[in-house]
Amino acid sequence: MLSHKETDLSETDLQEMYRTMLLSRRLDERMWLLNRAGKLPFVISCQGQEATQVGAAFALDKDVDIINPYYRDLALVTHFGMTPEETMLSAFARGADVQSGGRQMPGHFSKKASNIMTQGSAVTTQIPHAVGASYVFKMNGEKRVSLATLGEGSTSQGDFHEGLNFAGVHKLPFICLIENNKYAISVPVHLQYGADKLSDRAVGYGMHGEQVDGNDPIAVYKVMKEARDRAVNGEGASLIEAMSIRLTPHSSDDDDKYREADELQKNKKDDCLESFKLYLLEEKIIDEAWLQTVEAEIKDTVNKATKAAEAAPYAAPEHTLKHVYEEVNNG
């Protein structure tokens, strides 16, 4: 793991990074349990990719930067301001869900107040949206960046090429972060792309490209911080490929039988949450007492969020058509 001394991260920053990773993991685990208990219809997981998401999130300025996440980005949106209760309201499809009022599947993140742009179900559509936001920032002379995240499978879609080509031509303050967990549902990387590195495609778009260890939140932070600095200084866009791990099946509807048992076992050993915890312990940034306290606090937070969301009412039936048809006030 990259030493934090090679960055501007403080010990408090590192503690908060771990806390965000742990909170996201415990929320994710709780949703899986609720799904298996028949209380939630669907879960799509962030487990194994928290290091990439938190490293990227801490490198941005959440007060001004815009994020365009993909469906696994629970840790990213949690740092940007999605609360545990809001996550659970979406999972339970309750009316108070800030993302869609309970109408959209979980993982369709959206919260305008937290600079989280809404996303659609068709993969990769967030790329042109994110590029469009960065074009506005450049035209207005704003020191802001727009981040889009996606899995490696989405790089095969046309929106990926169109968006990155436009960002490269106009030198936009845009960052594309590929969270490469090596499987697009069940399709492995050797059937997805022919390049050694997806980040090498940056050359064709006239932008900076770099691959990073996605299991190392400090390394991801460093690369993303440099990308943001280039963007706000007028040096254009970046394509960052973070090599990460998907610890779970694609979703709660997937049996994961296309992966060998030894691969799954190795992934567990390489769990970014465990490796980051070990680093922080070795560096004496945290201790066992701190860990126990944080675990207890997060358990209480997740319990309260779950109970509040489960008790919340569903939206009224007529809310189904909200924002679908024009609403005319004849009064």
Side-chain angles (χ1 to χ4, degrees), residues 61-79:
D61 184 342
K62 63 181 180 180
D63 291 330
V64 298
D65 295 336
I66 291 284
I67 60 171
N68 298 259
Y70 91 124
Y71 47 77
R72 295 199 191 281
D73 278 325
L74 178 58
L76 174 63
V77 300
T78 296
H79 175 74

Side-chain angles (χ1 to χ4, degrees), residues 166-303:
F166 192 88
V169 167
H170 296 283
K171 293 193 176 301
L172 300 182
F174 167 71
I175 304 172
C176 180
L177 174 62
I178 303 169
E179 298 182 35
N180 190 339
N181 63 27
K182 307 173 189 68
Y183 285 92
I185 306 182
S186 60
V187 179
V189 291
H190 72 273
L191 295 177
Q192 189 66 240
Y193 55 88
D196 291 332
K197 299 178 182 178
L198 286 172
S199 55
D200 288 344
R201 293 182 178 179
V203 175
Y205 299 122
M207 64 178 66
H208 179 87
E210 192 167 350
Q211 189 183 83
V212 64
D213 180 2
N215 296 321
D216 183 345
I218 300 172
V220 174
Y221 170 86
K222 183 175 184 293
V223 167
M224 290 292 293
K225 185 74 162 50
E226 292 168 352
R228 187 185 189 278
D229 289 344
R230 286 192 299 271
V232 297
N233 289 326
E235 298 174 42
S238 296
L239 175 61
I240 309 299
E241 180 185 17
M243 304 305 295
S244 58
I245 291 170
R246 194 187 82 197
L247 291 176
T248 68
H250 171 73
S251 73
S252 54
D253 294 345
D254 179 31
D255 61 15
D256 212 16
K257 290 182 179 178
Y258 44 84
R259 297 203 281 185
E260 299 293 335
D262 57 347
E263 178 185 345
L264 298 174
Q265 195 61 37
K266 183 181 184 303
N267 285 348
K268 288 182 180 179
K269 288 176 62 177
D270 294 338
D271 183 352
C272 62
L273 190 65
E274 292 302 314
S275 59
F276 191 40
K277 178 174 73 174
L278 181 61
Y279 174 83
L280 296 178
L281 286 168
E282 290 175 344
E283 293 291 319
K284 295 182 171 49
I285 294 170
I286 61 173
D287 56 25
E288 291 296 341
W290 185 89
L291 285 169
Q292 291 176 12
T293 298
V294 170
E295 278 279 11
E297 292 173 353
I298 287 176
K299 182 178 181 180
D300 182 60
T301 297
V302 173
N303 284 340

Side-chain angles (χ1 to χ4, degrees), residues 23-70:
L23 173 59
S24 304
R25 177 68 62 88
R26 297 297 180 251
L27 281 168
D28 197 291
E29 291 171 340
R30 176 62 58 85
M31 288 188 286
W32 276 92
L33 288 172
L34 291 165
N35 172 263
R36 294 311 192 232
K39 293 188 174 184
L40 297 185
F42 183 79
V43 179
I44 195 156
S45 185
C46 75
Q47 291 184 42
Q49 295 178 215
E50 296 96 340
T52 292
Q53 295 169 22
V54 168
F58 273 73
L60 301 180
D61 184 342
K62 63 181 180 180
D63 291 330
V64 298
D65 295 336
I66 291 284
I67 60 171
N68 298 259
Y70 91 124

Side-chain angles (χ1 to χ4, degrees), residues 65-201:
D65 295 336
I66 291 284
I67 60 171
N68 298 259
Y70 91 124
Y71 47 77
R72 295 199 191 281
D73 278 325
L74 178 58
L76 174 63
V77 300
T78 296
H79 175 74
F80 260 71
M82 192 74 71
T83 69
E85 185 172 336
E86 288 169 341
T87 293
M88 285 297 180
L89 284 166
S90 174
F92 278 103
R94 296 309 200 245
D97 166 31
V98 299
Q99 298 171 52
S100 70
R103 294 180 297 173
Q104 188 57 283
M105 292 175 69
H108 288 68
F109 303 112
S110 174
K111 189 179 180 184
K112 185 177 181 180
S114 295
N115 290 334
I116 305 170
M117 287 183 67
T118 190
Q119 64 182 114
S121 292
V123 297
T124 328
T125 54
Q126 70 271 27
I127 294 289
H129 299 162
V131 170
S134 68
Y135 195 32
V136 172
F137 298 159
K138 179 170 184 176
M139 288 192 298
N140 292 344
E142 299 178 78
K143 295 287 187 179
R144 306 170 67 184
V145 303
S146 177
L147 168 71
T149 62
L150 70 165
E152 78 287 347
S154 292
T155 65
S156 297
Q157 298 293 326
D159 284 344
F160 175 80
H161 167 72
E162 293 171 19
L164 267 69
N165 187 61
F166 192 88
V169 167
H170 296 283
K171 293 193 176 301
L172 300 182
F174 167 71
I175 304 172
C176 180
L177 174 62
I178 303 169
E179 298 182 35
N180 190 339
N181 63 27
K182 307 173 189 68
Y183 285 92
I185 306 182
S186 60
V187 179
V189 291
H190 72 273
L191 295 177
Q192 189 66 240
Y193 55 88
D196 291 332
K197 299 178 182 178
L198 286 172
S199 55
D200 288 344
R201 293 182 178 179

